[in-house]
Amino acid sequence: MIKKVAIIGAGCSGLTAIKCCLDEGLEPVCFEKSSDIGGLWRFTESVDECRPSLYKSVVTNTSKEMMCYTDFPMPDDFPAYLHNSKVLEYLRLYAKRFNLLKYIQYQTEVCSVTKCSDFPSTGRWDIVTLTNGAQKNYIFDALLICNGHHSKHYLPLDSFPGIEKFKGHYIHSRFYKDSTYYQGKTVLVVGIGNSAGDIAVEISTTAKQVYVSTRRGSWVLSRISKGGLPIDMMLSTRFFTWIRNSLPSTFAARLNENMMNTWFDHANYGLEPLDRAQLKEPMVNDFLPSCILCGTVKIKPQIKAFTESSVIFEDDTVVENMDEVIFATGYTPSFPFLKDPKIIDDINGFLYKQVFPTHIEKPTLAFLGFVHPLGAILPVAELQARWATRIFKGIAHLPTVARMEDYIKKSMEFKTKWFAATRNQKLQSYFIDYMDEVAVEIDVRPNIMQLLLKDPLLAWTVCFGPSTPYQYRLNGPGMWSGAKKAISSQWERTVNPTRTRLVNKSPESGLNLKTLLSLCVLLVAILFGMYCINGISWS
Ligand code: NAP
């Protein structure tokens, strides 16, 4: 029987992995290479090898209600979007609340993970660690890999002809901490991900001129939606998901395009994605369009070549006297401790639902947080951990290899249809679709029909409101009695922190059209639910 579980990494995935092990009566031991928890979310002035590195100003691009763990809402006074230090504070609160710290061994690097000699029968793992120069060998019944995938930067210098001649200075965005060094300089930021957007905007306040080079373009979203509410809470709803999945893909893509262009016309700003029909992770940035409008940031196409002092772009325009280049070209997953080529093959191909290698004789190894949902990673990793620990315990089961392979094939077809062909394509997923796909494995997907009959108001909020993580604690194993309250108070926790000066606001009068429409849909659904369940006679 599985008892001892090794966890690699004490970041946001590792912490929830410890909790889920405890919830299932397993014995976790978490190995953390550094001296503290937090992983990606712990800012340090230095860039440490094999650790993610943040710049000082990083603020989350998902809101606090959408990014929390499923049974631990963020404190009421935390703002809707969090500075990185606040995320770390939240992780510390979580660790304290569930008493997780005593399961962590700090300053301990996992050097190698191999199958035990008795693997096919036991599924156990040999783990070698290094602490202050001392090597130790362990045997564990199961293993959760939670080391993140933002530690190894991706810098494809061979894609940039002439870079070896360039006399200016260049770095990868991983080494960027703040804008001080860039004052008065001409700077080029390469890439159009969230790092590129944040860094370009920050530098542009004091640099001489900032350019951003992109080969593919990107949709840019503001954190703020209608009425000043967080955009992810407005867009990540089951109702929207259902509409998107029901429409023909070209129509859904056109709808998406219109929505993305409501804030500003991406074509006019040089940002419009090359293939508008295919989605990639949008950039969330409130300031970039304004910087473009003010001319402090200029968008350029792909780089053709570098010379000693200038950059030539694909459209043959040239920027002379370039001082600095920041390559915000992303990251490459890295699992240096894994020695089994078959597992590496699975990672390079696909994992079942991004969690389980398919070609392993025993399901005693799982990856957490190795996914790019179009949403927050914390609740995703937690749901994955709930699933993995139940598999380890033997109370949930994986399908046959053939069925997993079939799922992977269909999943890849879906991703090819919906997501742009970037390096991260196979890791991309829609937030609600992905959460539901994992939730269904452990029977915690919200049961809307049951909810409709039991608590229509809650059902309405679950369908039409933001798909906040608490929804995955409403039913099934791990059900949490506070889930309903957390859902009904989610808007208060979002809006209250901004109400720092009380003003007299006249109450909204009457029902608006959207509420009326939603109520009609709800009524039809209730009647339909009753009809299906009770077989009501309509005559
Ligand atoms: P990223 O999202 O992977 O973006 C990398 C960018 O580099 C893409 O625009 C990519 O272009 C470009 N690129 C890659 N290879 C290139 C090449 N050979 N030539 C030209 N361009 C190339 O990386 P990131 O921006 O560092 O973000 C990493 C993760 O951290 C993301 O999930 C992001 O959301 C997250 N993040 C979050 C925040 C926040 O919460 N505020 C801030 C920063 C980062 P293509 O698209 O054309 O491939």
Side-chain angles (χ1 to χ4, degrees), residues 453 526-538:
L453 299 176
I526 290 177
L527 292 174
F528 180 69
M530 289 169 70
Y531 172 69
C532 293
I533 291 167
N534 301 330
I536 287 174
S537 163
W538 297 96

Side-chain angles (χ1 to χ4, degrees), residues 40-41 54-55 57-62 149-150 154-160 172-174 190-198 213-218 223 280-284 302-303 327-331 372-373 420-424:
L40 171 81
W41 291 107
L54 284 184
Y55 37 92
S57 60
V58 172
V59 171
T60 60
N61 54 21
T62 49
H149 50 277
H150 291 116
Y154 173 69
L155 181 46
L157 286 181
D158 48 0
S159 307
F160 304 104
H172 186 273
S173 58
R174 169 172 157 76
V190 182
I192 198 84
N194 280 302
S195 302
D198 283 352
S213 159
T214 170
R215 54 184 179 183
R216 228 188 293 257
S218 176
R223 287 180 176 79
K280 69 179 192 70
E281 185 183 7
M283 181 198 292
V284 178
Q302 190 167 350
I303 294 164
F327 289 98
T329 41
Y331 294 85
H372 274 272
T422 61
R423 279 189 319 122
N424 291 329

Side-chain angles (χ1 to χ4, degrees), residues 50-51 149-154 172 174 330-334:
C50 294
R51 263 206 76 224
H149 50 277
H150 291 116
S151 297
K152 191 174 167 194
H153 59 278
Y154 173 69
H172 186 273
R174 169 172 157 76
Y331 294 85
T332 299
S334 167

Side-chain angles (χ1 to χ4, degrees), residues 271-307:
L271 286 166
E272 188 170 88
L274 212 54
D275 185 350
R276 290 167 300 154
Q278 286 194 311
L279 198 63
K280 69 179 192 70
E281 185 183 7
M283 181 198 292
V284 178
N285 197 304
D286 303 291
F287 312 106
L288 184 65
S290 164
C291 291
I292 296 172
L293 202 59
C294 299
T296 52
V297 174
K298 293 184 178 173
I299 305 294
K300 303 293 284 178
Q302 190 167 350
I303 294 164
K304 196 168 172 184
F306 282 89
T307 69

